[in-house]
Amino acid sequence: DQAAARGRLLDYYTDTASMATGHAYPYVTELPRPVKSTFDSAEQAASWLDTELPNLLAAAHGAPTHTLALAATLRHHLHIRARFADADSLLTYALGLATAAGNHAAELDALRGLADAHRMCGRYEQAVDCLRQALAIARATAHHRGEIDALHGLGLIHRIQGRLDEAVACFEHAVAIARTTHHPAGEVDALRGLGDSYRLLCRYEPAIACFTQAEAIARATGHQAGELAALTRLAYTHRLQGRYEPAAEFFERALALARATGHRVGELNALWGLADLKRLQGDHDSAIELFEESLALARRTGNRVGELNSRYGLGNVKRAQGHHEAAIEELTRSLKLAHTCDHRNGQFEALLGL
């Protein structure tokens, strides 16, 4: 009958999505490893997810069991593709179901995904609330990867808001747990966050050591998102030390990997970094072209932090060209976004530019 046919369709989407995500993102240890797969490559699996995403999101509003399974399955893909509004909608719904059912594992999945979506959209207070709930559940249920992710997320927000000592403490704790419990993907993420904090403290050599370790582990384990992030961070750190040639090489490698894997957040970060490097080298036309490309991508994906960074970069280039009114306009927009997001580093940089 109709109900049975609908159930079979939902089962198909749930099972195939699980198979596809496990194939597309083998470094995510919580995703099931497909024993037998209909996909020949990670690229084919990711392409299927992209094509079927509207149907998968519709299927996720079926029976609660399908909703929770698809929410856990899709949250990483939605983050990679910068589908933050879809992630917010799906994971908020899943969290309500999981909480009502007392399903702590599903609650933890939804809270981590929601925290990512809130953070990327500049909603830091909501992100911290989700992360603190996730950390409490992870510790109560001895869910080590969940604890690593929650500490990593809290470290990111401490760093963004200028609390660098607190950020270092969170990341160091996450690295220690990841190493003790043998979670290489979690170690990659935590090392990246720790390196970022060292970089902001002008401790460049320890930062490079963290990023180099992260890149090696990521490459060895097929963690493409982690490899991409480490390459970008290595580029930024070399740039800060005036080593423009290796910085350009790392940015180009990161941009190529981001585009090859459809990682929109990574593409945005690499574009912004490469644009700012062109600015420092005096190639203003190339810098403007790259900043405008990063701005368009940020606005298309709803990434407000990416938008404020792109506008800040455009303002700096316009100022260097002597176009002071245009520079003030871009920097003022960047400052407003930074205030909206409570992005303190962004506020400081925009004010400094003005």
Side-chain angles (χ1 to χ4, degrees):
D1 61 7
Q2 190 173 7
R6 176 177 171 78
R8 287 192 296 272
L9 181 62
L10 292 175
D11 286 342
Y12 163 76
Y13 275 123
T14 302
D15 293 343
T16 310
S18 177
M19 184 188 302
T21 50
H23 206 105
Y25 307 111
Y27 53 84
V28 182
T29 55
E30 293 167 274
L31 293 175
R33 301 277 75 77
V35 177
K36 184 179 180 181
S37 177
T38 59
F39 302 104
D40 296 327
S41 66
E43 292 75 18
Q44 185 187 30
S47 177
W48 183 88
L49 288 167
D50 288 333
T51 301
E52 294 293 340
L53 193 55
N55 292 326
L56 292 168
L57 291 171
H61 286 78
T65 52
H66 293 105
T67 299
L68 297 180
L70 283 167
T73 295
L74 293 176
R75 70 179 179 88
H76 187 75
H77 185 74
L78 290 172
H79 176 80
I80 292 292
R81 293 297 192 255
R83 299 288 293 264
F84 304 125
D86 288 328
D88 192 348
S89 176
L90 171 60
L91 294 169
T92 298
Y93 180 52
L95 179 60
L97 292 175
T99 302
N103 186 333
H104 295 311
E107 275 187 283
L108 186 54
D109 271 328
L111 284 165
R112 285 181 289 168
L114 273 173
D116 280 341
H118 286 316
R119 176 174 56 82
M120 296 308 299
C121 293
R123 299 187 294 266
Y124 298 127
E125 186 175 344
Q126 295 97 314
V128 168
D129 182 57
C130 288
L131 289 165
R132 286 177 175 161
Q133 291 181 63
L135 184 60
I137 293 170
R139 286 175 169 168
T141 58
H143 193 298
H144 299 305
R145 184 59 209 259
E147 185 176 5
I148 293 164
D149 284 352
L151 286 167
H152 175 255
L154 288 168
L156 288 175
I157 294 172
H158 283 312
R159 192 197 74 215
I160 288 167
Q161 296 186 323
R163 297 183 294 273
L164 296 179
D165 289 340
E166 290 93 330
V168 167
C170 283
F171 291 130
E172 286 180 339
H173 194 178
V175 169
I177 295 170
R179 286 174 174 168
T180 302
T181 58
H182 308 291
H183 279 281
E187 185 178 355
V188 166
D189 293 340
L191 280 168
R192 185 180 74 235
L194 184 59
D196 278 335
S197 301
Y198 284 148
R199 176 169 52 84
L200 288 170
L201 290 165
C202 299
R203 298 176 60 188
Y204 298 129
E205 294 311 315
I208 286 176
C210 286
F211 298 141
T212 301
Q213 290 178 61
E215 195 269 339
I217 296 168
R219 191 173 64 253
T221 56
H223 188 339
Q224 292 178 321
E227 182 182 358
L228 167 59
L231 288 170
T232 305
R233 266 60 174 198
L234 282 166
Y236 278 125
T237 310
H238 282 296
R239 187 202 69 189
L240 285 168
Q241 294 178 292
R243 301 171 183 166
Y244 293 159
E245 188 174 336
E249 180 184 342
F250 281 121
F251 277 132
E252 293 284 4
R253 286 174 59 189
L255 185 58
L257 181 58
R259 286 175 168 165
T261 57
H263 196 306
R264 301 293 174 241
V265 176
E267 182 181 359
L268 182 61
N269 289 336
L271 280 168
W272 190 91
L274 193 56
D276 202 50
L277 184 61
K278 296 294 186 184
R279 176 188 66 83
L280 290 169
Q281 293 175 310
D283 186 354
H284 295 149
D285 289 341
S286 295
I288 286 176
E289 183 179 341
L290 289 163
F291 276 131
E292 287 179 343
E293 191 175 350
S294 72
L295 177 60
L297 179 58
R299 297 191 71 180
R300 190 163 65 246
T301 58
N303 188 329
R304 290 196 290 179
V305 176
E307 183 179 353
L308 77 86
N309 284 334
S310 300
R311 291 197 180 281
Y312 170 70
L314 281 168
N316 278 337
V317 180
K318 298 290 186 182
R319 183 182 58 199
Q321 292 178 311
H323 303 318
H324 298 301
E325 289 186 8
I328 289 171
E329 181 181 351
E330 293 294 353
L331 290 167
T332 300
R333 288 182 178 181
S334 179
L335 180 59
K336 287 179 179 178
L337 282 164
H339 278 301
T340 300
C341 299
D342 193 24
H343 194 304
R344 294 181 189 176
N345 290 335
Q347 291 172 35
F348 172 77
E349 289 172 342
L351 286 168
L352 189 63
L354 286 166

